[in-house]
Amino acid sequence: MGLTEQVAKFITTIRYEDFTPKAVFAARHGIIDCIACALAGAKENLSDILVGFARDTDGGNAATIIGRGLKTSAPMAALVNGAMGHALDYDDINHVLKGHPSVVCLPPALALGEAVGASGRDVMLAYMIAFEVGAAIGSGMGVDYADDLGWHPTGPLGTLAAAAAASRLLGLTQEQTAMALSLAASHACGLRENFGTMTKPFHAGNASRGGVTAAMLVQRGYTAATTGLEGRFGFMHAFSGGRGEDVNVPLERLGKKFFLEQPGVNIKKYPCCGSAHNPLDAFFDLRKEKPVDYRDVEAVEVFVDFDPPRSLIHSDPHTALEGKFSMQYCLAAALVDGQVGLTQFEEPMVMRPEIRELIPKITMRRNPGQEGKPSWVEAYNEVRIKLKNGTVLKKGQHRNEEGPVLGVTPEGMDTKFRDCASRALPAAKASEALALLHNLENQPNVTALMSAVSGK
């Protein structure tokens, strides 16, 4: 039995009870965070465009579009909700998947869960299955997949994760599930060249839709290979550029040790690319020790654990979306505003004169001696600020990879949810939704939850 069929066996046979309490704890945080980010993203321009597209091209009524007060088909809801959840780049990350797990695991599970009347427990199970499948396959990819080849892992791996969630909720057989994975593999894509535009969030939405579509087509009799992951011309070989993939690695942990536990779910503090977070943490730690007036700054050096530019590809951003993928803007905003939140990524903020003056003073480079090595080999970032009086301030930050939930406390998670939800929901609806999410596994279906977050 090859890798695709083994993964399909895992998808079709694992039970909710097989997951540990820590894995369920992580899943709950990822689910709450994903819906929070989708509610905040529901008011973005890209969401207006996608909702208009849904209205013009789709007449379904099976699944809710979060925060927008309408229903559509399951594939279309997965597309829009996935893109909205990633619109602000505020959603969770996972270092094995090397991307954003929840926006490709939850939208398919919610869309099909609502469409087929699944219980909250089944939706949570589908989410957890998807998370494990995406991370497991990611663990066996060649290093160039997430580095030099230009793929945005959320897109390709996310399509497989979405197919896993969808296949479980539709009750596909093991053979059908293997076909759904293979069909999803032919749908997978996502290029880092599009970072800083509306297309990056589309990667998450397209992956979510692709996984749902693959499972629904196979359920109707559509066929695909059952070796789409490990085959000579399959997903792992093709997306790794034929270099360094190992089709045996995904099975070393799948169903034995949970990726939800370690490295877990990393909840974002800042609504920008995760590659900027450790330097931002270092800066804010430094600021606690020594307040810095941006007008006194002569130069800033940022040492990172990847060869620039990688994901942070905009050294001179001119739009809010480009600013999310700019170390220069993120640190300039931190210096000027003393915070990096949703407000810092509103359109006029990037072009402020004081920001434009700071951006050329900020440089980013790889940690000395690590140049040319794969990303994240070393877990260290450092910020050095040279003041006009000659003083040099510096602070380092090690990357934390101890799961199951990183970056936020349970109370902080609720606060982030309420803050994000306030952009689309009245406070009472946000509280109702949060209560349902904290008790999701005991809900007979997701109807009440989707009604609470619908934005009607």
Side-chain angles (χ1 to χ4, degrees):
M1 190 183 297
L3 174 62
T4 311
E5 290 181 313
Q6 291 270 38
V7 173
K9 181 179 179 181
F10 167 80
I11 294 168
T12 55
T13 59
I14 192 166
R15 305 167 303 161
Y16 184 94
E17 295 79 11
D18 295 328
F19 285 90
T20 63
K22 285 185 178 180
V24 174
F25 178 77
R28 190 182 316 283
H29 279 70
I31 289 168
I32 292 173
D33 188 66
C34 185
I35 292 181
C37 293
L39 286 166
K43 298 304 180 183
E44 294 296 297
N45 289 339
L46 69 88
S47 302
D48 295 336
I49 295 170
L50 287 169
V51 168
F53 173 71
R55 285 194 174 110
D56 289 347
T57 61
D58 189 81
N61 193 42
T64 300
I65 295 179
I66 293 171
R68 300 298 302 222
L70 73 150
K71 287 190 172 185
T72 183
S73 69
M76 188 63 75
L79 166 67
V80 181
N81 289 337
M84 292 195 311
H86 198 39
L88 297 170
D89 226 276
Y90 205 6
D91 51 303
D92 61 10
I93 51 179
N94 174 273
H95 286 302
V96 177
L97 191 138
K98 291 186 171 61
H100 301 262
S102 291
V103 286
V104 293
C105 297
L106 186 62
L110 284 178
L112 272 178
E114 186 177 8
V116 304
S119 68
R121 188 182 183 91
D122 286 341
V123 168
M124 282 191 74
L125 174 59
Y127 168 92
M128 293 189 290
I129 288 171
F131 193 107
E132 296 301 316
V133 167
I137 298 168
S139 70
M141 299 297 289
V143 68
D144 288 341
Y145 166 65
D147 265 353
D148 290 342
L149 291 175
W151 300 118
H152 174 205
T154 302
L157 284 175
T159 311
L160 302 177
S167 296
R168 179 59 184 242
L169 282 166
L170 289 178
L172 300 188
T173 66
Q174 183 176 315
E175 182 183 25
Q176 287 175 318
T177 300
M179 288 185 181
L181 290 169
S182 296
L183 179 53
S186 280
H187 186 91
C189 197
L191 300 172
R192 288 211 308 270
E193 190 67 24
N194 280 309
F195 281 20
T197 74
M198 292 180 182
T199 299
K200 184 176 189 275
F202 180 80
H203 294 165
N206 192 49
S208 295
R209 176 178 63 176
V212 171
T213 300
M216 291 179 71
L217 284 173
V218 169
Q219 185 186 44
R220 289 173 174 268
Y222 214 85
T223 63
T226 55
T227 52
L229 300 181
E230 76 277 15
R232 168 66 180 84
F233 301 108
F235 179 94
M236 293 185 69
H237 180 81
F239 279 93
S240 297
R243 298 188 295 274
E245 74 278 1
D246 188 336
V247 300
N248 297 309
V249 168
L251 297 177
E252 291 177 0
R253 278 185 61 177
L254 188 64
K256 304 180 183 82
K257 295 181 180 179
F258 296 112
F259 293 97
L260 276 161
E261 284 194 39
Q262 177 65 24
V265 176
N266 196 326
I267 305 295
K268 283 190 173 185
K269 303 176 188 176
Y270 318 109
C272 59
C273 180
S275 295
H277 282 221
N278 281 335
L280 286 172
D281 283 345
F283 169 77
F284 286 119
D285 283 348
L286 173 62
R287 188 170 174 265
K288 291 175 186 175
E289 300 171 4
K290 175 75 174 177
V292 180
D293 189 320
Y294 70 89
R295 289 170 288 242
D296 296 332
V297 172
E298 181 176 311
V300 179
E301 286 186 300
V302 188
F303 294 91
V304 294
D305 52 356
F306 53 86
D307 284 328
R310 203 177 176 275
S311 300
L312 299 171
I313 64 176
H314 293 287
S315 60
D316 184 23
H318 285 71
T319 68
L321 280 173
E322 289 178 352
K324 289 177 178 288
F325 302 93
S326 170
M327 181 68 82
Q328 289 76 9
Y329 174 69
C330 289
L331 271 173
L335 278 160
V336 171
D337 299 328
Q339 62 179 345
V340 177
L342 292 171
T343 301
Q344 277 62 49
F345 297 99
E346 293 175 357
E347 205 59 59
M349 302 296 276
V350 181
M351 299 304 293
R352 289 175 286 167
E354 59 270 36
I355 294 291
R356 306 312 305 170
E357 185 178 344
L358 273 173
I359 279 178
K361 298 179 180 181
I362 301 171
T363 57
M364 175 176 60
R365 63 192 65 183
R366 185 73 181 262
N367 286 316
Q370 300 293 331
E371 296 88 352
K373 293 184 179 179
S375 295
W376 301 323
V377 169
E378 72 281 29
Y380 184 72
N381 293 252
E382 185 174 289
V383 174
R384 297 180 188 174
I385 301 174
K386 183 179 181 181
L387 304 180
K388 291 175 181 177
N389 66 7
T391 302
V392 176
L393 307 171
K394 62 181 181 180
K395 191 72 174 180
Q397 175 74 27
H398 282 86
R399 186 174 65 247
N400 184 2
E401 294 183 343
E402 295 296 325
V405 176
L406 305 172
V408 69
T409 63
E411 296 77 18
M413 184 70 265
D414 287 0
T415 298
K416 179 178 177 180
F417 181 88
R418 293 181 190 280
D419 182 42
C420 289
S422 68
R423 302 185 80 190
L425 301 179
K429 280 293 181 184
S431 294
E432 179 186 343
L434 194 53
L436 289 165
L437 285 165
H438 277 294
N439 195 36
L440 182 58
E441 66 271 36
N442 295 316
Q443 302 303 314
N445 52 56
V446 293
T447 302
L449 172 63
M450 299 315 294
S451 175
V453 301
S454 69
K456 281 189 178 179

